[in-house]
């Protein structure tokens, strides 16, 4: 991915498991974009992850569908290896992210106006990750309201971040050449986005911008079970601390906050959260740490 120019454009990568409805909506999302991607790669684990009712080859020129081993990091790495052209930018979106119609154009514009920035994550008009989720119709209403008010920022702002938000993150392709997502973070790969961003940054500027926007529905289907996620909430930050891609204060604070939240809320858990499973996972993780084992891959045994 060298020797790129602005005309070389943008590649969109989406890794998806067990969400055919959300993934299929990206045909319409791209059709509505004011700037079309040079290439779009769907990294799925089998044909069962795809909606059956559409001919994607006709509906979305430039779409490539690849089958990969299960796991967010593995799927994103397969997608990076499958890029055929020389794009200037690579954008990663979750399948349940709903972009504004100018999202891709705004990403390219933001990078052009922030020439020393290597990675960006956009503004969340809504994020259902810590709730039961945002229905698609509500997400579309938030997008419509945003676009009707003409809130696109020019020039875009930049809020420095220690990492990027994986549901909507974009990079200059040249800075991620040769980089891989850490496949020692399996399945849902909690905090893989932070790890990747910090390793890519190497002291260069990246962060959150108001230059592009969208809604993250936070759909609960396709995510790890409570026990596995609870384990990852404790072990993954400590693993990244050892790697050097997360600071001690952030790692310990994140693990502590999650453990406290799981225990407090387990008495009256949210219907969409397996708090008791997370509590069990937290304690299994602590026991492993006491025994000197800090291995995110351990969730495959749970």
């Amino acid at each position: 991915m060298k020797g790129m120019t602005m005309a070389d454009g943008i590649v969109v990568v989406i890794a998806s498991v067990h969400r055919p409805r959300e993934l299929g909506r990206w045909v319409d999302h791209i059709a509505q974009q004011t700037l079309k991607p040079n290439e779009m790669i769907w990294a799925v684990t089998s044909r069962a992850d795809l909606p059956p009712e559409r001919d994607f080859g006709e509906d979305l020129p430039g779409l490539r569908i690849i089958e990969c081993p299960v796991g967010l990091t593995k799927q994103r790495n397969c997608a990076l290896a499958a890029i055929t052209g020389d794009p200037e930018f690579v954008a990663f979106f979750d399948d349940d992210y709903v972009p504004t119609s100018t999202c891709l154009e705004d990403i390219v514009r933001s990078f052009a106006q922030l020439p020393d920035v290597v990675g960006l994550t956009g503004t969340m008009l809504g994020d259902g990750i810590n709730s039961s989720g945002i229905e698609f119709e509500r997400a579309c209403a938030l997008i419509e309201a945003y676009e009707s008010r003409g809130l696109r920022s020019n020039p875009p702002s930049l809020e420095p971040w220690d990492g990027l938000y994986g549901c909507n993150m974009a990079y200059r392709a040249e800075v991620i050449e040769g980089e891989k997502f850490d496949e020692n973070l399996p399945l849902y790969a909690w905090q893989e986005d932070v790890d990747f961003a910090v390793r890519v940054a190497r002291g260069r500027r990246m962060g959150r911008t108001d230059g592009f926007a969208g809604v993250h529905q936070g759909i609960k289907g396709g995510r790890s079970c409570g026990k596995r996620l609870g384990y990852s909430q404790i072990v993954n930050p400590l693993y990244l601390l050892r790697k050097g891609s997360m600071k001690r204060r952030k790692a310990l604070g994140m693990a502590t906050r999650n453990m406290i939240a799981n225990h407090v809320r387990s008495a009256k858990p949210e219907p969409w959260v397996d708090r008791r499973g997370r509590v069990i996972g937290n304690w299994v993780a602590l026991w492993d740490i006491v025994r000197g084992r800090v291995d995110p891959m351990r969730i495959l045994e749970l």
Side-chain angles (χ1 to χ4, degrees):
M1 295 185 288
K2 293 182 177 180
M4 293 167 279
T5 66
M6 182 66 70
D8 289 319
I10 187 168
V11 168
V12 170
V13 169
I14 299 178
S16 184
V17 179
H18 304 321
R19 292 182 182 173
R21 180 178 60 177
E22 286 73 30
L23 185 60
R25 285 175 176 151
W26 273 91
V27 175
D28 298 322
H29 295 338
I30 295 300
Q32 296 165 3
Q33 290 298 302
T34 55
L35 174 69
K36 301 296 189 287
N38 288 32
E39 189 173 28
M40 185 174 197
I41 300 175
W42 289 356
V44 298
T45 61
S46 73
R47 302 297 295 185
D49 295 330
L50 300 172
E53 70 276 10
R54 304 186 74 158
D55 183 346
F56 298 111
E58 293 182 2
D59 291 341
L60 191 56
L63 172 65
R64 299 181 60 221
I65 300 172
I66 60 173
E67 293 188 23
C68 319
V70 66
L72 182 57
T73 54
K74 291 182 178 180
Q75 289 170 250
R76 283 181 167 171
N77 285 339
C78 285
L80 286 175
I83 294 175
T84 58
D86 285 327
E88 187 166 14
F89 310 107
V90 177
F92 299 90
F93 295 111
D94 279 5
D95 48 20
D96 61 343
Y97 179 82
V98 183
T100 65
S101 61
T102 60
C103 184
L104 298 185
E105 178 184 344
D106 289 341
I107 288 172
V108 173
R109 177 180 60 90
S110 295
F111 276 117
Q113 296 182 340
L114 298 167
D116 61 336
V117 170
V118 299
L120 290 170
T121 197
T123 294
M124 289 284 96
L125 305 179
D127 190 357
I129 197 64
N130 292 317
S131 69
S132 60
I134 298 174
E135 293 294 331
F136 181 66
E137 293 72 18
R138 174 59 178 162
C140 292
L142 291 171
I143 296 291
E144 183 178 355
Y146 173 85
E147 294 182 332
S148 68
R149 295 196 300 270
L151 297 178
R152 296 169 68 195
S153 175
N154 192 13
S157 67
L158 182 72
E159 176 188 352
W161 261 31
D162 186 17
L164 297 181
Y165 192 7
C167 73
N168 73 130
M169 59 183 184
Y171 292 93
R172 296 186 188 273
E174 60 185 351
V175 304
I176 63 173
E177 184 175 5
E179 294 285 353
K180 288 186 176 182
F181 291 87
D182 187 348
E183 295 185 6
N184 288 319
L185 300 171
L187 302 181
Y188 182 53
W190 197 65
Q191 297 299 306
E192 51 79 34
D193 46 3
V194 172
D195 172 62
F196 186 79
V198 170
R199 286 188 286 111
V200 167
R202 297 192 182 95
R204 295 172 292 195
R205 294 181 74 206
M206 64 170 53
R208 182 170 61 184
T209 182
D210 59 359
F212 68 96
V215 176
H216 183 212
Q217 290 183 257
I219 300 297
K220 300 304 179 270
R223 297 189 183 275
S224 297
C225 70
K227 186 176 180 180
R228 284 174 166 173
L229 180 56
Y231 190 92
S232 296
Q233 287 178 328
I234 304 300
V235 167
N236 287 18
L238 299 185
Y239 171 76
L240 298 185
L241 172 62
R242 288 187 173 185
K243 280 186 65 176
S245 55
M246 187 173 286
K247 295 177 181 178
R248 178 179 297 274
R249 182 175 180 179
K250 180 175 181 178
L252 297 181
M254 181 181 294
T256 301
R257 286 192 301 272
N258 282 318
M259 189 162 189
I260 291 173
N262 290 333
H263 283 72
V264 169
R265 296 175 184 174
S266 64
K268 191 176 181 181
E270 308 92 323
W272 59 88
V273 179
D274 180 12
R275 288 289 177 186
R276 292 173 185 174
R278 292 187 188 185
V279 167
I280 293 171
N282 289 164
W283 281 101
V284 173
L286 287 175
W287 176 238
D288 279 354
I289 291 168
V290 168
R291 295 187 297 163
R293 184 176 186 181
V294 180
D295 182 7
M297 296 291 286
R298 170 91 156 91
I299 66 170
L300 300 177
E301 303 171 13
L302 300 181

